Amino acid sequence: MLEKVDLSKKLKKEEAKAKLEKMGVELSHLQRECKAANIPIMIAFEGIGASGKGVQINKLIQALDPRGFDVYTVNRETEEEKMRPFLWRFWSKTPETGRIAIFDRSWYRRVLGDRFEGLTPKKQIPFAFADIRSFEKQLTDDGTVIIKLFLYISKKEQEKRFKKLSENKETAWRVKKEDWDRNKEYKEYLSLCDEMLEQTDFEFAPWTIVEATDKEYAAVKIMNIVIHRLQEALVKKKHRDEIEEQIAKFKTEESFEKTYQIGVLSGVDLSKNLSEKEYKQQLDKLQKKVEILHSELYRRRIPVILAFEGWDAAGKGGAIRRLTSKLDPRGYAVCPTSAANDIERKHHYLWRFWNKMPKAGHIAIFDRTWYGRVMVERIEGFCSTAEWKRAYQEINEMEEHLVNSGAIILKFWMQIDKEEQERRFKDRMETPEKQWKITDEDWRNRAKWDEYEKAVDEMLVRTSTTYAPWTVVEANSKQYARVKVLETVVEAIEKRLKEK
Amino acid sequence: MLEKVDLSKKLKKEEAKAKLEKMGVELSHLQRECKAANIPIMIAFEGIGASGKGVQINKLIQALDPRGFDVYTVNRETEEEKMRPFLWRFWSKTPETGRIAIFDRSWYRRVLGDRFEGLTPKKQIPFAFADIRSFEKQLTDDGTVIIKLFLYISKKEQEKRFKKLSENKETAWRVKKEDWDRNKEYKEYLSLCDEMLEQTDFEFAPWTIVEATDKEYAAVKIMNIVIHRLQEALVKKKHRDEIEEQIAKFKTEESFEKTYQIGVLSGVDLSKNLSEKEYKQQLDKLQKKVEILHSELYRRRIPVILAFEGWDAAGKGGAIRRLTSKLDPRGYAVCPTSAANDIERKHHYLWRFWNKMPKAGHIAIFDRTWYGRVMVERIEGFCSTAEWKRAYQEINEMEEHLVNSGAIILKFWMQIDKEEQERRFKDRMETPEKQWKITDEDWRNRAKWDEYEKAVDEMLVRTSTTYAPWTVVEANSKQYARVKVLETVVEAIEKRLKEK
């Protein structure tokens, strides 16, 4: 449909100037309002080469308070970035609440420029569209405004601009052979743009096509749409808050459901055990295996993500230590997760985990994880009901994205019963060198055992996927648990290595 | 994850009875409230064979006013149904506002039973999941509550039930060889269920797994979740209405955007023309071609959907007549679309079009279409801003579903300019045999030309897809327009027939 768009639109210079000035005041006012309302904003500039993205970004930011925005130029992936899922570098650039992130080219590189140059493998294209959808959906669900602008000029106009730049000594360097090639293949590139617009024109993050032949017209149209979207966001935000509040009131009703929760943990056989001799033998054998597999993973550039969750004192730390004791420390990282800090709280809850995702060939071991959203945050009311209900799908999507980009993901739930926990708590209190491990909070959490069990059961059912399964580890016996964790890891890696 | 679910849950008979009685009163009250609030409800019963779907449906409906619900048993597709996209038979069963539709097995057949029996082609599975997602999303966005229940029993329990049925003379006929086969392959079937739950556990239409070993427990859990979801829906509905209201107030702001609308129609060259001689020659040649192609389509069982939109008096009728004049009337239908009637207004706006979609080998020609949503309904305020904004994506999804199931879709926008329309209107008024064609409403619509142009431009950009493209027909010359329509149809059919 792009080829049908009328590109002749213009605006007189003085008229544009007057409009921009007036709208600039409005925009600057909206920036402050959005900051006060804690709304993060992302503006992506995409478009045909030489359509004037730089010029337009510059015009737009004139009206903004420079302390409130960042501009990112998105070039080809660096070697470092290539070792991660393609959205990784964009997750790390998502703005905190109240800030604006402006992108000169964006995550759409993957399906435009990089695709055109053959840098994106063909079979990755459908995944890329699906991943972009879930990226934008998750952020907008969380309150981010995403404004996507497609700057559009004709083949002839592009040629004219390249010529003009080439004729001037000072700008000639800016036009490279690739650019001329791109101009020749304009039609093919346009059909990629068409497909991209078709696949990603979401109701929650729609595209605006900006006719960019006339710079003044484009500037006014861009300013206009940005203002419009921010006004809309402020209205929506207000309602959203009101709704969440009312739904929060309604929340008490939930206890109604409680008795009929799905049972997973209740069926776990906690009597499983290992003799000291078996334990030592197995441990030794498995640790050696993991060591060898680790270097094979490195050689094959496969990232591994191991997520540990479980009751307090269920033995997560011990299991992780047994798992890593023979590994090369340059190839893995243990990422402990505690409550989110101030900066983290200003971002999407998955943001801090994205930052820690391993690069190709490395292992990241999470001691507590993003599943906090559907356990502690749910139970303590740190997020709204809508938020934790949405989280199951969001987490599945994130894990699917990681797996699509090559990762192995294993998730462990360390299961003990209430009596065993009490024994361990008491032991910790009575043993001086273990006292640091036990706090009042542990006892408080214990008091909410039933609520947690309900949340965990639901979590296991809703997020155990073929691509990222949960393993429930019977952990009343520490020995049994440690061996089971190691075994599961070894099996999963061996299975993957056999695949190709 | 299903294999981990604890299936031992029970409830004492008297306890269950007391609970069901109490909840029945509540449910019956909620049914009335939902009717008053115009909320349509769909309840899908899925699950393992012999898990007691029939029994549970029966228990549930005891509490309902029988005038307010319908129960559908979903068997294998009939020959008639096989000629349509698989969701067609479910779209036609979506309840009108205030009614409840209960499904004994549902659209999930496609990815469960039918898949297991090899009736669903393997490569259709990903499409089926995507189509189910968009089906449920569109309905819930429109206010429908979708409750999905998965009744679950163990392999052993299933075997026990089959045995019991077989031993009794009166029920022995109910257990067939297939059932025993299914019991043997229980594990394989369960893994399909797992994948299905994983792919379709949407935040907007979540699954509830019902442990169905104990019938009393299952009945209470089902009643409980239905009550819970209806309560939630009533709260949400209230807020939704409030929000729509407030956004409606905000709507005037929109004129702001008007000047910077995307231009498609403004670039159309309306001077295109044909001599009378050329016209006759071409028309004759193309009509003969279409006739031949029509029978080839029938033979190959390819459904064709032709959608006509355009300005009043742009010549839709004339073009359709030239297109169909040589066709076998048993193989096509012209579907004129006027304002929705009372019953249609109680359904999703796409419902009435789904009903008219052609079966395999047939052609459906729509004179005005589902695009009314983003034109007249948008401009006259017959739907909310959120609704028409959402519609672009919904329409694209519907068309994609139709194309995935084999259809050819072509959409024509008949374009004339304002002056030409005036000439034709006047001609109609002055020519007695044409007077019926012109009403006051035509003049009223004409007064809103600019608003319509904006809406059409946006529609063309947002809904012209690779799978279902728009053709803008330069129609100031009726001859030129008719030939262009015929040519486009011929080309598209020839292209498809060459594909295999």
Side-chain angles (χ1 to χ4, degrees):
Chain A
M1 191 39 65
L2 278 173
E3 52 168 342
K4 290 230 172 62
V5 168
D6 175 9
L7 285 171
S8 68
K9 304 211 166 181
K10 315 187 203 227
L11 220 50
K12 282 198 195 103
K13 244 189 166 144
E14 316 84 73
E15 195 189 339
K17 209 181 149 198
K19 275 176 191 283
L20 285 175
E21 235 162 69
K22 207 174 138 225
M23 289 197 283
V25 177
E26 171 85 19
L27 180 57
S28 134
H29 170 72
L30 283 166
Q31 183 188 9
R32 286 190 299 274
E33 280 204 84
C34 287
K35 189 170 181 338
N38 283 327
I39 297 174
I41 299 159
M42 291 168 86
I43 308 178
F45 282 81
E46 284 290 349
I48 305 292
S51 57
K53 288 185 290 293
V55 173
Q56 295 299 341
I57 289 175
N58 208 25
K59 280 185 195 247
L60 180 68
I61 61 178
Q62 295 314 314
L64 298 174
D65 178 345
R67 290 162 305 179
F69 67 84
D70 302 285
V71 177
Y72 300 103
T73 303
V74 177
N75 292 313
R76 281 191 198 161
E77 286 180 328
T78 62
E79 286 309 309
E80 175 74 16
E81 286 161 350
K82 271 185 208 153
M83 310 271 272
R84 320 271 186 165
F86 88 92
L87 285 173
W88 177 78
R89 61 169 167 159
F90 300 104
W91 266 102
S92 68
K93 292 179 184 68
T94 56
E96 60 179 53
T97 51
R99 286 191 71 81
I100 305 176
I102 298 171
F103 296 86
D104 180 355
R105 301 212 181 272
S106 68
W107 45 99
Y108 284 97
R109 263 201 95 95
R110 181 85 172 172
V111 291
L112 290 176
D114 287 353
R115 178 182 184 185
F116 196 71
E117 290 167 29
L119 297 172
T120 309
K122 208 173 162 186
K123 61 171 192 177
Q124 285 292 323
I125 302 294
F127 294 128
F129 282 127
D131 291 338
I132 285 174
R133 187 186 191 289
S134 98
F135 176 65
E136 295 183 1
K137 180 83 166 65
Q138 296 195 7
L139 290 168
T140 50
D141 277 348
D142 194 48
T144 302
V145 180
I146 301 182
I147 302 171
K148 306 187 292 193
L149 305 165
F150 185 84
L151 274 59
Y152 183 29
I153 53 173
S154 69
K155 181 178 183 179
K156 234 168 136 179
E157 177 68 22
Q158 190 186 41
E159 196 184 347
K160 206 174 95 189
R161 292 188 184 184
F162 283 160
K163 263 195 192 143
K164 197 174 160 202
L165 287 168
S166 307
E167 280 160 14
N168 184 328
K169 264 186 194 168
E170 276 164 35
T171 54
W173 64 273
R174 289 178 58 189
V175 187
K176 301 195 185 69
K177 189 180 163 294
E178 298 98 87
D179 293 317
W180 285 110
D181 290 347
R182 195 70 72 87
N183 183 254
K184 264 178 228 143
E185 296 167 311
Y186 181 93
K187 206 178 154 190
E188 290 71 30
Y189 188 71
L190 205 64
S191 82
L192 291 196
C193 297
D194 256 332
E195 191 187 340
M196 179 276 284
L197 292 171
E198 179 180 322
Q199 293 278 343
T200 60
D201 189 28
F202 311 121
E203 177 215 348
F204 49 85
W207 277 101
T208 299
I209 297 170
V210 179
E211 303 89 333
T213 317
D214 180 58
K215 289 195 166 63
E216 316 301 329
Y217 181 85
V220 171
K221 180 160 180 173
I222 290 169
M223 187 83 89
N224 186 311
I225 193 74
V226 171
I227 287 176
H228 185 70
R229 291 289 309 282
L230 297 188
Q231 286 175 327
E232 195 186 61
L234 284 163
V235 174
K236 280 193 186 155
K237 167 82 179 175
K238 204 174 133 249
H239 289 293
R240 208 181 140 103
D241 291 350
E242 277 168 22
I243 292 176
E244 303 261 294
E245 225 172 86
Q246 301 222 21
I247 284 179
K249 280 181 212 152
F250 181 66
K251 217 172 166 184
T252 45
E253 289 291 342
E254 265 224 303
S255 57
F256 202 61
E257 244 188 318
K258 199 170 154 186
T259 346
Y260 311 104
Q261 69 185 61
I262 191 105
V264 175
L265 296 182
S266 55
V268 175
D269 173 10
L270 289 173
S271 68
K272 293 188 179 173
N273 209 333
L274 275 184
S275 74
E276 196 61 24
K277 197 181 143 201
E278 281 172 310
Y279 170 59
K280 289 235 165 96
Q281 276 178 350
Q282 294 265 20
L283 192 67
D284 192 53
K285 193 185 76 183
L286 288 163
Q287 285 180 333
K288 278 180 189 149
K289 265 198 187 169
V290 168
E291 192 187 351
I292 296 165
L293 291 170
H294 189 205
S295 57
E296 187 61 17
L297 287 171
Y298 187 78
R299 210 178 59 76
R300 299 262 298 264
R301 296 266 183 238
I302 298 171
V304 177
I305 297 157
L306 304 176
F308 286 85
E309 290 286 357
W311 299 104
D312 288 325
K316 291 186 297 295
I320 293 172
R321 260 200 314 284
R322 276 26 171 229
L323 177 65
T324 56
S325 67
K326 297 239 169 88
L327 297 183
D328 180 338
R330 289 164 304 180
Y332 77 88
V334 176
C335 315
T337 301
S338 43
N341 65 30
D342 281 0
I343 292 175
E344 289 162 349
R345 268 201 303 275
K346 288 185 176 173
H347 285 89
H348 192 282
Y349 72 97
L350 289 174
W351 175 79
R352 58 174 171 153
F353 299 104
W354 269 101
N355 282 339
K356 288 177 191 155
M357 286 304 161
K359 58 182 182 181
H362 287 240
I363 301 178
I365 300 169
F366 290 88
D367 184 351
R368 302 212 177 276
T369 68
W370 44 97
Y371 285 97
R373 187 71 162 188
V374 293
M375 295 195 291
V376 56
E377 293 192 34
R378 165 181 177 173
I379 287 165
E380 301 294 341
F382 296 158
C383 63
S384 73
T385 306
E387 282 172 335
W388 65 255
K389 284 200 171 174
R390 198 164 65 216
Y392 299 113
Q393 206 173 322
E394 292 173 339
I395 287 172
N396 286 344
E397 285 172 3
M398 177 182 75
E399 293 177 353
E400 197 173 3
H401 178 56
L402 292 164
V403 168
N404 283 343
S405 64
I408 298 173
I409 303 184
L410 298 172
K411 303 177 297 199
F412 296 97
W413 175 263
M414 309 294 284
Q415 173 65 4
I416 54 175
D417 58 31
K418 227 174 154 178
E419 295 68 41
E420 180 64 23
Q421 190 188 50
E422 196 176 2
R423 270 193 295 279
R424 293 188 187 181
F425 276 12
K426 283 193 176 147
D427 177 49
R428 285 180 176 186
M429 296 191 77
E430 286 156 13
T431 319
E433 67 273 25
K434 288 187 186 169
Q435 273 167 13
W436 63 274
K437 281 183 156 185
I438 182 111
T439 65
D440 287 355
E441 210 191 314
D442 293 326
W443 288 101
R444 274 198 300 274
N445 288 340
R446 180 177 163 79
K448 296 186 177 171
W449 185 283
D450 289 354
E451 270 182 84
Y452 271 98
E453 182 162 336
K454 178 188 169 185
V456 172
D457 277 337
E458 187 169 359
M459 169 187 90
L460 293 174
V461 170
R462 295 211 193 270
T463 61
S464 196
T465 55
T466 38
Y467 45 87
W470 276 103
T471 302
V472 177
V473 180
E474 300 82 348
N476 265 17
S477 152
K478 288 181 182 176
Q479 285 77 7
Y480 179 85
R482 290 165 189 171
V483 166
K484 179 159 179 180
V485 167
L486 268 157
E487 257 174 4
T488 310
V489 171
V490 164
E491 265 172 35
I493 298 176
E494 283 180 340
K495 194 175 155 224
R496 165 64 72 84
L497 291 175
K498 263 179 218 151
E499 274 173 21
K500 268 202 293 199
Chain B
M1 190 39 64
L2 278 173
E3 51 168 341
K4 293 228 172 61
V5 169
D6 175 9
L7 286 171
S8 67
K9 304 211 166 181
K10 312 186 204 236
L11 221 52
K12 282 197 195 103
K13 249 195 161 134
E14 317 82 74
E15 195 188 339
K17 208 181 151 200
K19 275 176 191 280
L20 284 175
E21 235 162 67
K22 208 176 138 222
M23 288 197 284
V25 177
E26 171 84 20
L27 180 57
S28 132
H29 170 70
L30 282 167
Q31 183 188 9
R32 287 191 299 275
E33 279 205 83
C34 287
K35 189 170 182 338
N38 283 326
I39 296 174
I41 299 160
M42 292 167 87
I43 307 178
F45 282 80
E46 285 289 348
I48 304 293
S51 56
K53 288 185 290 293
V55 173
Q56 295 299 342
I57 289 174
N58 208 24
K59 281 185 193 246
L60 180 68
I61 60 178
Q62 296 313 314
L64 298 174
D65 179 345
R67 290 163 303 179
F69 67 83
D70 304 283
V71 177
Y72 300 103
T73 303
V74 177
N75 293 313
R76 282 193 198 161
E77 287 180 328
T78 63
E79 287 310 309
E80 174 76 15
E81 286 161 349
K82 270 186 210 153
M83 309 269 273
R84 320 270 186 165
F86 88 91
L87 285 173
W88 177 78
R89 61 170 167 159
F90 300 104
W91 265 103
S92 68
K93 294 179 184 67
T94 56
E96 60 179 51
T97 52
R99 285 191 72 82
I100 304 177
I102 298 172
F103 295 86
D104 180 355
R105 302 212 181 268
S106 67
W107 45 99
Y108 283 97
R109 263 200 95 96
R110 182 84 172 172
V111 291
L112 291 176
D114 288 353
R115 178 182 185 185
F116 196 70
E117 289 167 30
L119 298 173
T120 309
K122 207 174 163 189
K123 61 171 191 177
Q124 285 291 325
I125 302 294
F127 294 128
F129 283 128
D131 291 337
I132 286 173
R133 188 187 189 288
S134 96
F135 176 65
E136 295 182 2
K137 179 84 167 65
Q138 296 195 8
L139 291 168
T140 50
D141 277 348
D142 195 48
T144 302
V145 180
I146 301 181
I147 302 172
K148 305 187 294 194
L149 306 165
F150 185 84
L151 272 59
Y152 183 30
I153 55 173
S154 68
K155 182 176 182 178
K156 234 166 134 181
E157 177 69 23
Q158 190 186 41
E159 197 184 345
K160 207 174 93 189
R161 293 187 183 185
F162 284 159
K163 263 195 191 142
K164 197 174 160 201
L165 288 168
S166 308
E167 281 160 14
N168 185 328
K169 264 186 194 168
E170 277 164 33
T171 55
W173 62 274
R174 289 178 57 189
V175 186
K176 303 194 184 70
K177 190 184 162 290
E178 298 98 87
D179 293 317
W180 284 111
D181 289 348
R182 195 70 73 86
N183 184 254
K184 266 178 226 141
E185 296 168 309
Y186 181 94
K187 206 179 156 191
E188 290 71 30
Y189 188 71
L190 205 64
S191 81
L192 291 195
C193 297
D194 255 332
E195 190 186 340
M196 179 277 283
L197 292 171
E198 179 180 323
Q199 294 278 343
T200 60
D201 188 29
F202 311 121
E203 177 215 346
F204 49 85
W207 278 101
T208 299
I209 297 169
V210 179
E211 303 88 334
T213 317
D214 179 57
K215 287 195 167 65
E216 316 301 329
Y217 180 86
V220 172
K221 181 162 181 174
I222 290 169
M223 187 83 89
N224 186 312
I225 192 75
V226 172
I227 287 176
H228 185 70
R229 291 289 309 281
L230 298 188
Q231 287 176 327
E232 195 186 61
L234 284 164
V235 173
K236 279 193 186 155
K237 167 85 179 172
K238 204 175 132 247
H239 288 292
R240 208 181 139 103
D241 291 351
E242 277 167 23
I243 293 177
E244 303 260 293
E245 224 173 86
Q246 301 223 21
I247 284 180
K249 279 182 214 154
F250 181 66
K251 216 172 168 183
T252 45
E253 287 292 340
E254 265 225 303
S255 56
F256 204 61
E257 245 187 317
K258 198 171 158 187
T259 347
Y260 311 105
Q261 70 185 61
I262 193 104
V264 174
L265 297 183
S266 55
V268 174
D269 174 10
L270 289 174
S271 68
K272 292 186 179 175
N273 209 334
L274 275 183
S275 73
E276 196 62 25
K277 196 181 146 202
E278 281 172 310
Y279 171 60
K280 290 233 164 97
Q281 276 179 351
Q282 293 266 19
L283 191 68
D284 191 54
K285 193 186 77 185
L286 289 164
Q287 284 179 333
K288 278 180 189 148
K289 265 197 187 169
V290 168
E291 192 188 350
I292 296 166
L293 291 170
H294 189 204
S295 57
E296 187 61 17
L297 286 171
Y298 186 78
R299 209 178 59 77
R300 299 262 297 265
R301 296 267 182 237
I302 298 170
V304 177
I305 296 156
L306 304 176
F308 284 84
E309 290 286 356
W311 298 105
D312 287 326
K316 290 187 297 293
I320 292 172
R321 259 199 314 285
R322 274 32 169 225
L323 177 65
T324 56
S325 66
K326 298 237 168 87
L327 298 183
D328 181 337
R330 290 164 302 180
Y332 77 89
V334 176
C335 317
T337 301
S338 44
N341 64 30
D342 281 0
I343 291 174
E344 289 164 347
R345 268 202 302 275
K346 288 184 176 174
H347 285 89
H348 192 281
Y349 71 97
L350 289 175
W351 176 79
R352 59 173 170 152
F353 300 104
W354 268 102
N355 281 339
K356 290 177 190 153
M357 286 305 161
K359 57 183 182 181
H362 287 240
I363 301 178
I365 300 169
F366 290 89
D367 184 352
R368 300 213 178 275
T369 68
W370 43 98
Y371 284 97
R373 187 70 161 187
V374 294
M375 295 196 291
V376 57
E377 292 192 34
R378 166 182 177 172
I379 285 165
E380 301 294 341
F382 296 158
C383 63
S384 73
T385 306
E387 282 172 334
W388 64 255
K389 285 200 172 174
R390 198 165 65 217
Y392 299 114
Q393 207 174 320
E394 292 173 339
I395 287 173
N396 286 343
E397 284 171 4
M398 176 182 76
E399 293 177 353
E400 196 173 3
H401 178 56
L402 294 165
V403 168
N404 284 343
S405 65
I408 298 174
I409 303 184
L410 297 173
K411 303 177 296 199
F412 296 96
W413 175 261
M414 308 295 283
Q415 172 65 5
I416 53 174
D417 57 31
K418 227 174 154 177
E419 295 70 41
E420 180 65 23
Q421 191 188 49
E422 197 176 359
R423 270 192 295 277
R424 294 188 186 179
F425 275 13
K426 283 191 177 148
D427 177 50
R428 286 181 176 186
M429 296 191 76
E430 287 156 12
T431 318
E433 67 272 26
K434 288 187 187 168
Q435 272 166 14
W436 62 274
K437 279 183 159 186
I438 181 108
T439 64
D440 287 354
E441 208 191 316
D442 293 326
W443 289 100
R444 275 198 299 275
N445 288 340
R446 179 177 162 78
K448 295 188 179 171
W449 185 283
D450 290 353
E451 271 183 84
Y452 271 98
E453 182 162 334
K454 180 187 167 185
V456 173
D457 278 337
E458 187 169 358
M459 169 188 91
L460 293 174
V461 170
R462 296 210 192 270
T463 60
S464 196
T465 55
T466 37
Y467 45 88
W470 276 103
T471 302
V472 177
V473 180
E474 301 83 348
N476 264 16
S477 152
K478 288 181 181 175
Q479 286 77 6
Y480 180 86
R482 290 166 188 170
V483 167
K484 179 159 177 177
V485 167
L486 269 157
E487 257 174 5
T488 309
V489 172
V490 165
E491 266 171 35
I493 298 175
E494 283 181 340
K495 193 174 155 226
R496 164 65 73 85
L497 291 174
K498 263 178 217 150
E499 273 172 23
K500 269 200 294 198

Coordinates of all heavy atoms in Angstrom, one line a residue, chain B residues 420-442:
Chain B
E420 N -17.8 14.4 -10.0 CA -18.4 13.3 -10.7 C -19.6 12.7 -9.9 O -20.7 12.4 -10.5 CB -17.4 12.1 -10.9 CG -17.9 10.9 -11.7 CD -18.4 11.2 -13.1 OE1 -17.9 12.1 -13.7 OE2 -19.2 10.4 -13.6
Q421 N -19.5 12.7 -8.6 CA -20.6 12.2 -7.8 C -21.8 13.1 -7.9 O -22.9 12.7 -8.1 CB -20.2 12.1 -6.3 CG -21.3 11.4 -5.5 CD -21.0 11.4 -4.0 OE1 -20.8 12.5 -3.4 NE2 -21.1 10.3 -3.3
E422 N -21.5 14.4 -7.9 CA -22.6 15.4 -8.1 C -23.3 15.2 -9.4 O -24.6 15.2 -9.5 CB -22.1 16.8 -8.0 CG -23.2 17.8 -7.7 CD -22.7 19.2 -7.5 OE1 -21.4 19.4 -7.5 OE2 -23.5 20.1 -7.3
R423 N -22.5 15.0 -10.5 CA -23.2 14.8 -11.8 C -24.1 13.5 -11.7 O -25.2 13.6 -12.2 CB -22.1 14.5 -12.8 CG -21.6 15.8 -13.5 CD -20.7 15.5 -14.8 NE -19.5 14.8 -14.4 CZ -18.4 15.4 -14.0 NH1 -18.3 16.7 -13.9 NH2 -17.3 14.7 -13.7
R424 N -23.6 12.5 -11.1 CA -24.4 11.2 -11.1 C -25.6 11.4 -10.2 O -26.7 10.9 -10.5 CB -23.5 10.1 -10.6 CG -22.4 9.8 -11.6 CD -21.6 8.5 -11.2 NE -20.5 8.4 -12.2 CZ -19.6 7.3 -12.1 NH1 -19.7 6.4 -11.2 NH2 -18.6 7.3 -13.0
F425 N -25.4 12.0 -9.1 CA -26.6 12.3 -8.2 C -27.7 13.0 -9.0 O -28.9 12.7 -8.9 CB -26.2 13.1 -7.0 CG -25.6 12.3 -5.8 CD1 -25.3 10.9 -6.0 CD2 -25.5 12.8 -4.5 CE1 -24.7 10.2 -5.0 CE2 -25.0 12.1 -3.5 CZ -24.6 10.8 -3.7
K426 N -27.2 14.1 -9.6 CA -28.2 14.9 -10.4 C -28.9 14.1 -11.5 O -30.1 14.2 -11.7 CB -27.5 16.2 -10.9 CG -27.3 17.2 -9.8 CD -26.9 18.5 -10.4 CE -26.7 19.6 -9.3 NZ -25.7 20.5 -9.6
D427 N -28.1 13.3 -12.1 CA -28.6 12.5 -13.2 C -29.7 11.5 -12.6 O -30.7 11.3 -13.2 CB -27.5 11.7 -13.8 CG -28.0 10.7 -14.9 OD1 -28.7 11.2 -15.8 OD2 -27.6 9.5 -14.8
R428 N -29.4 11.0 -11.5 CA -30.3 10.1 -10.8 C -31.6 10.8 -10.5 O -32.7 10.2 -10.6 CB -29.7 9.5 -9.5 CG -28.7 8.4 -9.8 CD -28.1 7.8 -8.6 NE -27.2 6.8 -9.0 CZ -26.5 5.9 -8.2 NH1 -26.7 6.1 -6.9 NH2 -25.7 5.0 -8.6
M429 N -31.5 12.0 -10.0 CA -32.7 12.7 -9.6 C -33.6 13.1 -10.8 O -34.8 13.1 -10.7 CB -32.3 14.0 -8.8 CG -31.6 13.6 -7.5 SD -31.5 15.1 -6.5 CE -33.1 15.2 -5.8
E430 N -32.9 13.3 -11.9 CA -33.6 13.8 -13.1 C -34.1 12.6 -14.0 O -35.0 12.8 -14.8 CB -32.7 14.7 -13.9 CG -32.5 16.0 -13.3 CD -31.2 16.7 -13.7 OE1 -30.6 16.3 -14.7 OE2 -30.8 17.7 -13.0
T431 N -33.6 11.4 -13.8 CA -34.0 10.3 -14.6 C -35.0 9.5 -13.8 O -34.6 8.9 -12.7 CB -32.8 9.4 -15.0 OG1 -31.7 10.3 -15.3 CG2 -33.1 8.5 -16.1
P432 N -36.3 9.4 -14.2 CA -37.3 8.7 -13.4 C -36.9 7.3 -13.0 O -37.1 6.9 -11.8 CB -38.5 8.7 -14.3 CG -38.3 9.9 -15.2 CD -36.8 10.0 -15.4
E433 N -36.4 6.5 -13.9 CA -36.1 5.1 -13.6 C -34.9 5.0 -12.6 O -34.6 3.9 -12.2 CB -36.0 4.2 -14.8 CG -34.8 4.5 -15.7 CD -35.0 5.6 -16.7 OE1 -35.9 6.5 -16.5 OE2 -34.4 5.6 -17.8
K434 N -34.2 6.1 -12.4 CA -33.0 6.0 -11.5 C -33.3 6.6 -10.1 O -32.5 6.6 -9.2 CB -31.8 6.7 -12.1 CG -31.2 5.9 -13.3 CD -29.9 6.6 -13.7 CE -29.3 5.9 -15.0 NZ -28.3 6.7 -15.6
Q435 N -34.5 7.2 -10.0 CA -34.8 8.0 -8.8 C -34.7 7.2 -7.5 O -34.3 7.7 -6.5 CB -36.1 8.7 -8.9 CG -36.0 10.1 -9.6 CD -37.3 10.7 -10.0 OE1 -38.3 10.2 -9.6 NE2 -37.3 11.7 -10.8
W436 N -35.1 5.9 -7.6 CA -35.0 5.0 -6.4 C -33.6 4.9 -5.8 O -33.4 4.5 -4.7 CB -35.6 3.7 -6.8 CG -34.8 2.9 -7.8 CD1 -34.9 3.0 -9.2 CD2 -33.7 2.0 -7.6 NE1 -33.9 2.2 -9.8 CE2 -33.2 1.6 -8.8 CE3 -33.1 1.5 -6.4 CZ2 -32.1 0.7 -9.0 CZ3 -32.0 0.6 -6.5 CH2 -31.6 0.2 -7.8
K437 N -32.7 5.2 -6.7 CA -31.3 5.0 -6.3 C -30.8 6.1 -5.4 O -29.7 6.0 -4.8 CB -30.4 4.9 -7.5 CG -30.3 3.6 -8.2 CD -29.3 3.7 -9.3 CE -28.8 2.3 -9.8 NZ -27.8 2.5 -10.8
I438 N -31.5 7.2 -5.3 CA -30.9 8.3 -4.6 C -31.9 8.8 -3.5 O -33.1 8.8 -3.6 CB -30.6 9.5 -5.6 CG1 -30.0 10.7 -4.8 CG2 -31.9 10.0 -6.3 CD1 -28.6 10.9 -5.1
T439 N -31.3 8.9 -2.3 CA -32.1 9.3 -1.1 C -31.4 10.5 -0.4 O -30.3 10.9 -0.8 CB -32.1 8.2 -0.1 OG1 -30.8 8.0 0.4 CG2 -32.7 6.9 -0.7
D440 N -32.1 11.0 0.5 CA -31.6 12.2 1.3 C -30.3 11.8 2.0 O -29.4 12.6 2.1 CB -32.6 12.6 2.4 CG -33.7 13.4 1.7 OD1 -33.7 13.6 0.5 OD2 -34.7 13.7 2.4
E441 N -30.2 10.5 2.3 CA -29.0 10.1 3.1 C -27.8 10.2 2.2 O -26.7 10.5 2.7 CB -29.2 8.6 3.5 CG -28.4 8.3 4.8 CD -28.4 6.9 5.1 OE1 -29.4 6.2 5.0 OE2 -27.3 6.4 5.4
D442 N -27.9 9.9 0.9 CA -26.8 10.1 0.0 C -26.2 11.5 0.1 O -25.0 11.7 0.1 CB -27.2 9.7 -1.4 CG -27.6 8.2 -1.6 OD1 -26.9 7.4 -0.8 OD2 -28.5 7.9 -2.3

